[in-house]
């Protein structure tokens, strides 16, 4: 069984610099004051698995997911999120080791890229891979 191992973001919404969340324990909680970016983590998860609805990502246009600047920091030209999935412990000898990294990039120009394990892919490929491992909007599990 695959499990979420790590989420990496750079330039996604409020995350200017490379930020990594490691999911090492059975339960993970994200806590903090209002406005610190907690909900942006959920948005990043949805976005990297292929969310196309800007409204679901709490924006007016897809470009809104790219860091738009702040006091002392210029806007970035790209947002990138990578989702690292790893074969969970106790999956049995009959299942091969499987690590999957799904990446989505969006540039201010409007161009986007999807990657599976560093190889360029189509959104359809991402959705098929996620469906194969029972993750995605169709099964409503993240």
């Amino acid at each position: 069984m695959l499990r979420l191992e790590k989420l990496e973001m750079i330039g996604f919404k409020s995350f200017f610099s490379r930020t990594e969340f490691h999911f090492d324990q059975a339960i993970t909680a994200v806590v903090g004051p209002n406005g610190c970016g907690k909900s942006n983590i959920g948005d990043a998860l949805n976005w990297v698995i292929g969310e196309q609805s800007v409204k679901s990502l709490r924006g007016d246009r897809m470009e809104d997911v790219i860091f738009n600047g702040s006091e002392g920091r210029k806007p970035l030209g790209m947002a990138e999120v990578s989702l690292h999935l790893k074969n969970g412990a106790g999956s049995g000898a009959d299942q091969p080791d499987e690590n999957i990294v799904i990446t989505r990039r969006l540039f201010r120009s409007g161009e986007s890229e999807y990657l599976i394990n560093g190889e360029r892919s189509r959104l359809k490929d991402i959705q098929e891979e996620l469906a194969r491992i029972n993750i995605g909007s169709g099964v409503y599990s993240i």
Side-chain angles (χ1 to χ4, degrees), residues 99-118:
N99 295 319
I100 299 171
V101 179
I102 296 170
T103 302
R104 183 174 180 182
R105 294 181 186 132
L106 177 68
F107 300 90
R108 282 211 189 268
S109 65
E111 295 175 59
S112 63
E113 295 178 343
Y114 298 91
L115 300 99
I116 299 176
N117 293 335

Side-chain angles (χ1 to χ4, degrees), residues 87-137:
N87 211 5
S91 60
D94 59 336
Q95 289 190 350
D97 287 344
E98 185 174 23
N99 295 319
I100 299 171
V101 179
I102 296 170
T103 302
R104 183 174 180 182
R105 294 181 186 132
L106 177 68
F107 300 90
R108 282 211 189 268
S109 65
E111 295 175 59
S112 63
E113 295 178 343
Y114 298 91
L115 300 99
I116 299 176
N117 293 335
E119 299 288 324
R120 287 198 62 161
S121 301
R122 302 170 301 164
L123 173 57
K124 183 176 181 177
D125 299 327
I126 301 285
Q127 292 169 333
E128 287 174 358
E129 183 67 18
L130 291 170
R132 184 184 70 77
I133 57 177
N134 294 322
I135 297 175
S137 59

Side-chain angles (χ1 to χ4, degrees), residues 17-38:
S17 57
R18 182 168 301 280
T19 304
E20 294 183 3
F21 292 94
H22 294 267
F23 301 95
D24 300 323
Q25 304 298 322
I27 298 174
T28 300
V30 179
V31 295
N34 291 341
C36 73
K38 298 180 301 287

Side-chain angles (χ1 to χ4, degrees), residues 19-95:
T19 304
E20 294 183 3
F21 292 94
H22 294 267
F23 301 95
D24 300 323
Q25 304 298 322
I27 298 174
T28 300
V30 179
V31 295
N34 291 341
C36 73
K38 298 180 301 287
S39 58
N40 291 345
I41 298 166
D43 289 346
L45 283 167
N46 285 320
W47 186 71
V48 72
I49 64 172
E51 179 61 62
Q52 297 297 304
S53 168
V54 178
K55 297 285 184 216
S56 293
L57 298 169
R58 301 174 305 118
D60 294 323
R61 52 187 207 269
M62 195 55 78
E63 184 182 293
D64 291 344
V65 303
I66 302 172
F67 181 78
N68 203 29
S70 66
E71 188 175 315
R73 291 196 165 147
K74 294 182 178 180
L76 294 178
M78 176 193 76
E80 176 181 302
V81 176
S82 293
L83 181 68
H84 296 251
L85 301 166
K86 183 177 184 175
N87 211 5
S91 60
D94 59 336
Q95 289 190 350

